Amino acid sequence: MTNEIVSVYSQAIDISFKGMTALFLFMFIFFFLIVAIDKLLPHEEEPKK
């Protein structure tokens, strides 16, 4: 393996790691945002007729 292959491979791994980290960070923030909205604005069930 040449130096160029190793360099490109390490750049690809770095970009993939950053992308997956950003994705999971967004998912956690989105989840906690949904939980916070659910606590602030609880669902009120309507009485059955």
Side-chain angles (χ1 to χ4, degrees), residues 14-32:
D14 186 48
I15 290 171
S16 298
F17 178 74
K18 288 178 183 175
M20 291 301 290
T21 303
L23 179 66
F24 278 100
L25 184 65
F26 170 77
M27 287 169 42
F28 279 118
I29 291 171
F30 194 70
F31 172 75
F32 286 119

Side-chain angles (χ1 to χ4, degrees), residues 45-49:
E45 294 195 19
E46 298 176 5
K48 295 182 179 178
K49 296 180 180 179

Side-chain angles (χ1 to χ4, degrees), residues 5-20:
I5 293 173
V6 172
S7 174
V8 170
Y9 185 74
S10 66
Q11 287 175 351
I13 294 294
D14 186 48
I15 290 171
S16 298
F17 178 74
K18 288 178 183 175
M20 291 301 290

